[in-house]
Coordinates of all heavy atoms in Angstrom, one line a residue:
M1 N 2.6 1.2 13.5 CA 3.8 2.1 13.6 C 3.6 3.2 12.5 O 3.1 3.0 11.4 CB 5.0 1.2 13.3 CG 6.3 2.0 13.4 SD 7.4 1.0 14.2 CE 7.8 1.6 15.7
T2 N 4.1 4.3 12.9 CA 4.0 5.5 12.0 C 5.4 6.1 11.8 O 6.1 6.2 12.8 CB 3.1 6.6 12.6 OG1 1.8 6.0 12.8 CG2 2.9 7.8 11.7
A3 N 5.7 6.3 10.6 CA 7.0 7.0 10.2 C 6.7 8.4 9.8 O 5.8 8.7 9.0 CB 7.7 6.2 9.1
K4 N 7.5 9.3 10.3 CA 7.4 10.7 9.9 C 8.4 10.9 8.7 O 9.6 10.5 8.8 CB 7.7 11.7 11.0 CG 6.7 11.6 12.1 CD 6.8 12.9 12.9 CE 5.7 12.9 13.9 NZ 4.6 13.7 13.6
V5 N 7.9 11.5 7.6 CA 8.7 11.8 6.5 C 8.5 13.2 6.0 O 7.4 13.8 6.3 CB 8.5 10.8 5.3 CG1 8.8 9.4 5.7 CG2 7.0 10.8 4.9
T6 N 9.4 13.7 5.3 CA 9.3 15.0 4.7 C 9.0 14.8 3.2 O 9.8 14.2 2.5 CB 10.5 15.9 4.9 OG1 10.7 16.0 6.3 CG2 10.3 17.3 4.3
L7 N 7.9 15.4 2.7 CA 7.6 15.3 1.3 C 7.4 16.7 0.7 O 7.0 17.6 1.4 CB 6.3 14.4 1.1 CG 6.4 13.0 1.7 CD1 5.0 12.4 1.6 CD2 7.3 12.2 0.9
S8 N 7.5 16.8 -0.6 CA 7.3 18.1 -1.2 C 6.2 17.9 -2.3 O 6.2 16.9 -3.0 CB 8.5 18.6 -1.9 OG 9.5 18.9 -0.9
F9 N 5.2 18.8 -2.3 CA 4.1 18.7 -3.3 C 4.0 20.1 -3.9 O 4.3 21.1 -3.3 CB 2.8 18.3 -2.6 CG 2.8 17.0 -1.9 CD1 3.1 16.9 -0.6 CD2 2.5 15.8 -2.7 CE1 3.1 15.6 0.0 CE2 2.5 14.6 -2.1 CZ 2.8 14.5 -0.7
S10 N 3.4 20.1 -5.1 CA 3.1 21.3 -5.8 C 2.0 22.0 -4.9 O 1.2 21.3 -4.2 CB 2.6 21.1 -7.2 OG 1.4 20.5 -7.2
D11 N 1.9 23.3 -5.0 CA 0.8 24.0 -4.3 C -0.5 23.5 -4.7 O -1.4 23.3 -3.8 CB 0.9 25.5 -4.6 CG 2.2 26.2 -4.0 OD1 2.7 25.6 -3.0 OD2 2.6 27.3 -4.4
E12 N -0.8 23.3 -6.0 CA -2.0 22.8 -6.4 C -2.4 21.4 -5.8 O -3.5 21.2 -5.4 CB -2.0 22.7 -8.0 CG -3.3 22.2 -8.6 CD -3.3 22.1 -10.1 OE1 -2.6 23.0 -10.7 OE2 -3.9 21.2 -10.6
T13 N -1.4 20.5 -5.8 CA -1.6 19.2 -5.3 C -2.0 19.2 -3.8 O -2.9 18.6 -3.4 CB -0.4 18.3 -5.5 OG1 -0.2 18.2 -6.9 CG2 -0.6 16.9 -4.9
I14 N -1.2 20.0 -3.1 CA -1.5 20.0 -1.6 C -2.8 20.6 -1.3 O -3.5 20.2 -0.4 CB -0.3 20.6 -0.8 CG1 -0.3 20.2 0.6 CG2 -0.3 22.1 -0.9 CD1 0.0 18.7 0.8
E15 N -3.2 21.7 -2.0 CA -4.5 22.3 -1.8 C -5.7 21.3 -2.1 O -6.6 21.2 -1.4 CB -4.7 23.6 -2.6 CG -3.8 24.7 -2.0 CD -4.1 25.0 -0.5 OE1 -5.2 25.0 -0.1 OE2 -3.1 25.1 0.2
E16 N -5.5 20.6 -3.2 CA -6.5 19.6 -3.5 C -6.6 18.5 -2.5 O -7.7 18.1 -2.0 CB -6.3 19.0 -4.9 CG -6.5 19.9 -6.1 CD -6.2 19.3 -7.4 OE1 -5.8 18.1 -7.5 OE2 -6.4 20.0 -8.4
A17 N -5.4 18.1 -2.0 CA -5.4 17.0 -1.0 C -6.0 17.5 0.3 O -6.8 16.8 0.9 CB -3.9 16.6 -0.7
R18 N -5.8 18.7 0.7 CA -6.4 19.3 1.9 C -7.9 19.4 1.7 O -8.7 19.1 2.7 CB -5.8 20.7 2.1 CG -4.5 20.7 2.8 CD -4.0 22.1 3.1 NE -2.8 22.1 3.8 CZ -1.7 22.7 3.4 NH1 -1.7 23.6 2.4 NH2 -0.5 22.6 4.1
R19 N -8.4 19.8 0.5 CA -9.8 19.9 0.3 C -10.5 18.5 0.4 O -11.5 18.3 1.0 CB -10.0 20.5 -1.1 CG -11.5 20.8 -1.3 CD -11.7 21.6 -2.6 NE -11.2 21.0 -3.8 CZ -10.2 21.4 -4.5 NH1 -9.5 22.4 -4.1 NH2 -9.8 20.8 -5.6
F20 N -9.8 17.5 -0.2 CA -10.4 16.1 -0.2 C -10.4 15.6 1.2 O -11.3 14.9 1.7 CB -9.6 15.2 -1.1 CG -9.9 15.4 -2.6 CD1 -8.9 15.6 -3.5 CD2 -11.2 15.5 -3.1 CE1 -9.1 15.8 -4.8 CE2 -11.5 15.7 -4.4 CZ -10.4 15.9 -5.3
A21 N -9.3 15.8 2.0 CA -9.2 15.3 3.3 C -10.3 16.0 4.2 O -11.0 15.2 5.0 CB -7.8 15.7 3.9
K22 N -10.5 17.3 4.1 CA -11.5 17.9 4.8 C -12.9 17.4 4.5 O -13.7 17.1 5.4 CB -11.5 19.4 4.6 CG -12.5 20.2 5.4 CD -12.3 21.7 5.1 CE -13.3 22.5 6.0 NZ -13.2 23.9 5.8
R23 N -13.2 17.2 3.2 CA -14.4 16.7 2.7 C -14.7 15.3 3.3 O -15.9 15.0 3.7 CB -14.5 16.6 1.2 CG -15.8 16.1 0.7 CD -15.8 16.0 -0.8 NE -15.0 14.9 -1.2 CZ -14.7 14.6 -2.4 NH1 -15.0 15.4 -3.4 NH2 -14.0 13.5 -2.7
E24 N -13.7 14.5 3.5 CA -13.8 13.1 4.0 C -13.7 13.1 5.5 O -13.7 12.0 6.1 CB -12.8 12.2 3.3 CG -13.2 12.0 1.9 CD -12.2 11.1 1.1 OE1 -11.6 10.2 1.8 OE2 -12.1 11.3 -0.1
G25 N -13.4 14.2 6.2 CA -13.3 14.3 7.6 C -12.0 13.6 8.1 O -12.0 13.1 9.2
L26 N -11.0 13.7 7.3 CA -9.7 13.1 7.7 C -8.6 14.2 7.9 O -8.8 15.3 7.3 CB -9.2 12.1 6.6 CG -10.1 10.9 6.4 CD1 -9.6 10.2 5.1 CD2 -10.1 10.0 7.6
S27 N -7.6 13.9 8.6 CA -6.5 14.8 8.7 C -5.8 14.6 7.3 O -5.9 13.6 6.6 CB -5.5 14.4 9.8 OG -4.9 13.1 9.5
L28 N -5.0 15.6 7.0 CA -4.2 15.6 5.7 C -3.3 14.3 5.7 O -3.2 13.6 4.7 CB -3.4 16.8 5.5 CG -2.5 16.9 4.3 CD1 -3.4 16.8 3.0 CD2 -1.7 18.2 4.3
S29 N -2.7 14.0 6.9 CA -1.8 12.9 6.9 C -2.5 11.6 6.7 O -2.1 10.7 6.0 CB -1.1 12.8 8.3 OG -0.2 13.9 8.4
A30 N -3.7 11.5 7.3 CA -4.5 10.2 7.1 C -5.0 10.1 5.7 O -5.0 9.0 5.1 CB -5.7 10.2 8.1
W31 N -5.4 11.2 5.1 CA -5.8 11.2 3.7 C -4.7 10.8 2.8 O -4.9 10.0 1.9 CB -6.4 12.5 3.3 CG -7.1 12.4 2.0 CD1 -8.4 12.0 1.7 CD2 -6.5 12.6 0.7 NE1 -8.7 12.0 0.4 CE2 -7.5 12.4 -0.3 CE3 -5.3 13.0 0.3 CZ2 -7.3 12.5 -1.6 CZ3 -5.1 13.2 -1.1 CH2 -6.1 12.9 -2.0
M32 N -3.5 11.4 3.0 CA -2.4 11.0 2.1 C -1.9 9.6 2.3 O -1.6 8.9 1.4 CB -1.2 12.0 2.5 CG -1.4 13.4 2.1 SD -1.6 13.6 0.3 CE -0.1 14.5 0.0
D33 N -2.0 9.1 3.6 CA -1.7 7.7 3.8 C -2.6 6.8 3.1 O -2.2 5.8 2.4 CB -1.8 7.4 5.3 CG -1.4 6.0 5.7 OD1 -0.2 5.6 5.5 OD2 -2.3 5.2 6.1
Q34 N -3.9 7.1 3.1 CA -4.9 6.3 2.4 C -4.7 6.4 0.9 O -4.8 5.3 0.2 CB -6.3 6.8 2.8 CG -7.5 6.1 2.1 CD -8.8 6.7 2.5 OE1 -9.0 7.0 3.7 NE2 -9.7 6.8 1.6
A35 N -4.5 7.6 0.4 CA -4.3 7.7 -1.0 C -3.1 6.9 -1.5 O -3.1 6.3 -2.6 CB -4.1 9.2 -1.4
A36 N -2.0 7.0 -0.8 CA -0.8 6.2 -1.1 C -1.0 4.7 -1.1 O -0.6 4.0 -2.0 CB 0.4 6.6 -0.2
R37 N -1.7 4.3 -0.1 CA -2.0 2.9 0.0 C -2.9 2.4 -1.1 O -2.7 1.3 -1.7 CB -2.7 2.6 1.4 CG -2.9 1.1 1.6 CD -3.6 0.8 3.0 NE -2.9 1.5 4.1 CZ -3.5 2.4 4.8 NH1 -4.8 2.7 4.6 NH2 -2.9 3.0 5.8
E38 N -3.9 3.2 -1.5 CA -4.8 2.8 -2.6 C -4.0 2.8 -3.9 O -4.2 1.9 -4.7 CB -6.0 3.8 -2.7 CG -7.0 3.6 -1.6 CD -8.1 4.7 -1.6 OE1 -8.1 5.6 -2.4 OE2 -8.9 4.7 -0.6
K39 N -3.1 3.7 -4.1 CA -2.3 3.8 -5.3 C -1.4 2.5 -5.4 O -1.3 1.9 -6.5 CB -1.5 5.0 -5.4 CG -0.4 5.1 -6.5 CD -1.0 5.2 -7.8 CE 0.1 5.4 -8.9 NZ -0.4 5.3 -10.2
A40 N -0.8 2.1 -4.3 CA 0.0 0.9 -4.3 C -0.8 -0.3 -4.6 O -0.4 -1.2 -5.4 CB 0.7 0.8 -2.9
L41 N -2.0 -0.4 -4.0 CA -2.9 -1.6 -4.3 C -3.3 -1.6 -5.8 O -3.3 -2.7 -6.4 CB -4.1 -1.6 -3.4 CG -3.8 -1.9 -2.0 CD1 -5.1 -1.7 -1.1 CD2 -3.3 -3.3 -1.8
R42 N -3.6 -0.4 -6.4 CA -3.9 -0.4 -7.8 C -2.8 -0.9 -8.6 O -3.0 -1.6 -9.6 CB -4.3 1.1 -8.2 CG -5.8 1.4 -7.9 CD -6.2 2.7 -8.6 NE -5.3 3.8 -8.4 CZ -5.5 4.7 -7.3 NH1 -6.4 4.4 -6.4 NH2 -4.6 5.7 -7.2
E43 N -1.6 -0.5 -8.3 CA -0.4 -0.9 -9.0 C -0.3 -2.5 -8.9 O 0.0 -3.1 -9.9 CB 0.9 -0.3 -8.5 CG 1.0 1.2 -8.7 CD 1.2 1.6 -10.2 OE1 1.9 0.8 -10.9 OE2 0.7 2.6 -10.6
V44 N -0.4 -3.0 -7.7 CA -0.3 -4.5 -7.6 C -1.4 -5.2 -8.4 O -1.2 -6.1 -9.1 CB -0.5 -4.9 -6.1 CG1 -0.6 -6.4 -5.9 CG2 0.8 -4.4 -5.3
F45 N -2.7 -4.7 -8.3 CA -3.8 -5.4 -9.0 C -3.6 -5.2 -10.5 O -3.9 -6.1 -11.3 CB -5.1 -4.8 -8.6 CG -5.5 -5.3 -7.2 CD1 -5.9 -4.4 -6.2 CD2 -5.4 -6.6 -6.8 CE1 -6.3 -4.8 -4.9 CE2 -5.8 -7.0 -5.5 CZ -6.2 -6.1 -4.6
T46 N -3.1 -4.1 -11.0 CA -2.9 -3.9 -12.4 C -1.8 -4.8 -12.9 O -2.0 -5.4 -14.0 CB -2.5 -2.4 -12.7 OG1 -3.6 -1.6 -12.3 CG2 -2.2 -2.2 -14.1
A47 N -0.7 -5.0 -12.1 CA 0.3 -5.9 -12.5 C -0.2 -7.3 -12.5 O 0.1 -8.1 -13.5 CB 1.5 -5.8 -11.6
H48 N -1.0 -7.7 -11.6 CA -1.6 -9.0 -11.5 C -2.5 -9.3 -12.8 O -2.4 -10.3 -13.4 CB -2.4 -9.2 -10.3 CG -3.0 -10.6 -10.2 ND1 -4.3 -10.8 -10.5 CD2 -2.5 -11.8 -9.8 CE1 -4.6 -12.1 -10.3 NE2 -3.5 -12.7 -9.9
A49 N -3.4 -8.3 -13.1 CA -4.2 -8.4 -14.2 C -3.4 -8.6 -15.5 O -3.8 -9.4 -16.4 CB -5.2 -7.2 -14.3
A50 N -2.4 -7.8 -15.6 CA -1.5 -7.9 -16.8 C -0.9 -9.3 -16.9 O -0.8 -9.9 -18.0 CB -0.4 -6.9 -16.8
A51 N -0.4 -9.9 -15.8 CA 0.2 -11.2 -15.7 C -0.9 -12.3 -16.1 O -0.6 -13.2 -16.9 CB 0.8 -11.5 -14.4
V52 N -2.1 -12.1 -15.6 CA -3.1 -13.1 -16.0 C -3.4 -13.0 -17.5 O -3.6 -14.0 -18.2 CB -4.4 -12.8 -15.2 CG1 -5.6 -13.5 -15.7 CG2 -4.2 -13.1 -13.7
G53 N -3.5 -11.8 -18.0 CA -3.7 -11.6 -19.4 C -2.6 -12.2 -20.3 O -2.8 -12.8 -21.3
R54 N -1.3 -12.0 -19.8 CA -0.2 -12.6 -20.6 C -0.2 -14.1 -20.5 O 0.2 -14.7 -21.5 CB 1.1 -12.1 -20.0 CG 1.5 -10.6 -20.4 CD 2.9 -10.3 -20.1 NE 3.2 -10.5 -18.7 CZ 3.0 -9.6 -17.7 NH1 2.4 -8.5 -17.9 NH2 3.3 -9.9 -16.4
A55 N -0.8 -14.6 -19.5 CA -0.8 -16.1 -19.3 C -2.0 -16.7 -20.2 O -2.1 -17.9 -20.3 CB -1.0 -16.5 -17.9
G56 N -2.8 -15.8 -20.8 CA -3.9 -16.2 -21.6 C -5.1 -16.7 -20.9 O -5.9 -17.4 -21.4
L57 N -5.2 -16.4 -19.6 CA -6.3 -16.8 -18.8 C -7.5 -15.8 -19.0 O -7.3 -14.6 -19.0 CB -5.9 -16.9 -17.3 CG -4.8 -17.8 -17.0 CD1 -4.4 -17.6 -15.5 CD2 -5.1 -19.2 -17.3
D58 N -8.6 -16.3 -19.2 CA -9.8 -15.5 -19.3 C -10.7 -15.8 -18.1 O -11.6 -16.6 -18.1 CB -10.5 -15.8 -20.6 CG -11.7 -14.9 -20.9 OD1 -12.0 -14.0 -20.0 OD2 -12.3 -15.0 -21.9
L59 N -10.4 -15.1 -17.0 CA -11.1 -15.4 -15.7 C -12.5 -15.0 -15.7 O -13.4 -15.6 -15.1 CB -10.3 -14.7 -14.5 CG -8.9 -15.2 -14.3 CD1 -8.3 -14.5 -13.2 CD2 -8.8 -16.7 -14.1
E60 N -12.8 -13.9 -16.5 CA -14.2 -13.4 -16.5 C -15.1 -14.4 -17.2 O -16.1 -14.8 -16.7 CB -14.2 -12.1 -17.3 CG -15.6 -11.5 -17.3 CD -15.7 -10.1 -17.9 OE1 -14.6 -9.5 -18.2 OE2 -16.8 -9.6 -18.0
S61 N -14.6 -15.0 -18.3 CA -15.4 -16.0 -19.0 C -15.6 -17.2 -18.2 O -16.6 -17.9 -18.1 CB -14.7 -16.4 -20.4 OG -14.8 -15.3 -21.2
A62 N -14.5 -17.6 -17.4 CA -14.6 -18.8 -16.6 C -15.6 -18.5 -15.5 O -16.4 -19.4 -15.1 CB -13.2 -19.1 -16.0
A63 N -15.6 -17.3 -14.9 CA -16.6 -17.0 -13.8 C -18.0 -17.0 -14.4 O -18.9 -17.5 -13.7 CB -16.2 -15.7 -13.2
L64 N -18.2 -16.5 -15.6 CA -19.5 -16.5 -16.2 C -20.0 -17.9 -16.5 O -21.2 -18.3 -16.2 CB -19.5 -15.7 -17.4 CG -19.4 -14.2 -17.2 CD1 -19.2 -13.5 -18.6 CD2 -20.6 -13.6 -16.5
A65 N -19.1 -18.8 -16.9 CA -19.4 -20.2 -17.2 C -19.8 -20.9 -15.9 O -20.7 -21.7 -15.9 CB -18.2 -20.9 -17.9
D66 N -19.0 -20.6 -14.8 CA -19.4 -21.2 -13.5 C -20.8 -20.8 -13.1 O -21.5 -21.6 -12.6 CB -18.3 -20.8 -12.5 CG -17.0 -21.5 -12.6 OD1 -16.9 -22.4 -13.4 OD2 -16.0 -21.0 -12.0
A67 N -21.1 -19.5 -13.2 CA -22.4 -19.0 -12.8 C -23.5 -19.7 -13.6 O -24.6 -20.0 -13.1 CB -22.4 -17.5 -13.0
Q68 N -23.3 -19.8 -14.9 CA -24.3 -20.5 -15.8 C -24.5 -22.0 -15.4 O -25.6 -22.5 -15.3 CB -23.9 -20.4 -17.2 CG -24.0 -19.0 -17.8 CD -23.4 -18.9 -19.2 OE1 -22.6 -19.7 -19.6 NE2 -23.8 -17.8 -19.9
E69 N -23.3 -22.6 -15.0 CA -23.4 -24.0 -14.6 C -24.2 -24.1 -13.3 O -25.0 -25.0 -13.1 CB -22.0 -24.6 -14.4 CG -22.0 -26.1 -14.1 CD -20.6 -26.7 -14.1 OE1 -19.7 -26.1 -14.6 OE2 -20.5 -27.8 -13.5
V70 N -24.0 -23.2 -12.3 CA -24.7 -23.2 -11.1 C -26.2 -23.0 -11.4 O -27.0 -23.7 -10.8 CB -24.2 -22.1 -10.1 CG1 -25.1 -21.9 -9.0 CG2 -22.8 -22.5 -9.6
A71 N -26.5 -22.1 -12.3 CA -27.9 -21.8 -12.6 C -28.6 -23.1 -13.2 O -29.7 -23.4 -12.9 CB -28.0 -20.7 -13.6
L72 N -27.8 -23.8 -14.1 CA -28.4 -25.0 -14.6 C -28.6 -26.1 -13.6 O -29.6 -26.8 -13.6 CB -27.4 -25.6 -15.7 CG -27.4 -24.8 -17.0 CD1 -26.2 -25.3 -17.9 CD2 -28.7 -24.8 -17.8
V73 N -27.7 -26.3 -12.7 CA -27.8 -27.2 -11.6 C -29.0 -26.8 -10.7 O -29.8 -27.7 -10.3 CB -26.5 -27.4 -10.8 CG1 -26.7 -28.2 -9.5 CG2 -25.4 -28.0 -11.7
D74 N -29.1 -25.6 -10.3 CA -30.2 -25.1 -9.5 C -31.5 -25.4 -10.2 O -32.5 -25.9 -9.5 CB -30.1 -23.6 -9.2 CG -29.1 -23.3 -8.1 OD1 -28.6 -24.2 -7.4 OD2 -28.8 -22.1 -7.8
D75 N -31.6 -25.1 -11.5 CA -32.8 -25.3 -12.2 C -33.2 -26.8 -12.2 O -34.3 -27.2 -12.0 CB -32.7 -24.8 -13.6 CG -34.0 -24.8 -14.3 OD1 -35.0 -24.3 -13.7 OD2 -34.1 -25.3 -15.5
A76 N -32.2 -27.7 -12.4 CA -32.4 -29.1 -12.4 C -32.8 -29.6 -11.0 O -33.7 -30.5 -10.9 CB -31.1 -29.9 -12.9
L77 N -32.2 -29.1 -10.0 CA -32.5 -29.6 -8.6 C -33.7 -29.0 -8.0 O -34.5 -29.6 -7.3 CB -31.3 -29.3 -7.7 CG -30.1 -30.1 -8.0 CD1 -28.9 -29.7 -7.1 CD2 -30.3 -31.6 -7.8
F78 N -34.0 -27.7 -8.3 CA -35.0 -27.0 -7.6 C -36.1 -26.5 -8.6 O -37.1 -25.9 -8.1 CB -34.4 -25.7 -6.9 CG -33.4 -26.1 -5.9 CD1 -32.0 -25.8 -6.2 CD2 -33.7 -26.8 -4.7 CE1 -31.0 -26.2 -5.3 CE2 -32.7 -27.1 -3.8 CZ -31.4 -26.8 -4.1
G79 N -36.0 -26.8 -9.9 CA -37.0 -26.5 -10.8 C -37.4 -25.0 -10.8 O -38.6 -24.7 -11.0
G80 N -36.5 -24.1 -10.7 CA -36.7 -22.7 -10.7 C -37.2 -22.1 -9.4 O -37.3 -20.9 -9.2
R81 N -37.4 -23.0 -8.4 CA -37.7 -22.5 -7.0 C -36.5 -22.0 -6.3 O -35.4 -22.6 -6.6 CB -38.4 -23.7 -6.2 CG -39.7 -24.2 -6.7 CD -40.3 -25.3 -5.8 NE -39.3 -26.3 -5.4 CZ -39.0 -27.4 -6.1 NH1 -39.5 -27.6 -7.2 NH2 -38.1 -28.2 -5.6
P82 N -36.6 -21.0 -5.5 CA -35.4 -20.5 -4.8 C -34.9 -21.6 -3.9 O -35.7 -22.3 -3.3 CB -35.9 -19.3 -4.0 CG -37.4 -19.3 -4.1 CD -37.8 -20.3 -5.2
R83 N -33.6 -21.7 -3.8 CA -33.0 -22.7 -2.9 C -33.0 -22.2 -1.5 O -32.9 -21.0 -1.3 CB -31.7 -23.2 -3.4 CG -30.5 -22.4 -3.0 CD -29.2 -23.1 -3.4 NE -28.6 -22.4 -4.5 CZ -27.4 -22.5 -4.8 NH1 -26.6 -23.2 -4.1 NH2 -26.9 -21.9 -5.8
A84 N -33.0 -23.1 -0.5 CA -33.0 -22.7 0.9 C -31.6 -22.1 1.2 O -30.6 -22.6 0.7 CB -33.3 -23.8 1.8
A85 N -31.6 -21.1 2.1 CA -30.3 -20.5 2.4 C -29.5 -21.3 3.3 O -29.9 -22.2 4.0 CB -30.6 -19.1 3.1

């Protein structure tokens, strides 16, 4: 579903948007839709990352520890040989 809306932009902003849309082979409307969607997702992910940080979770360290554990198990099971896919 598509909604038609009226928006106002500065001359500089709209010219840059037109230039980027043309460069990417998109209509101005499609480019603006994509840009707005990406901005909304960045806001959601930023808020999530902040919540994770406030909760004191260190997901990066946990992921690195998991990867190290997998490597240790692989080494123990396969002795450095690549495992079958």
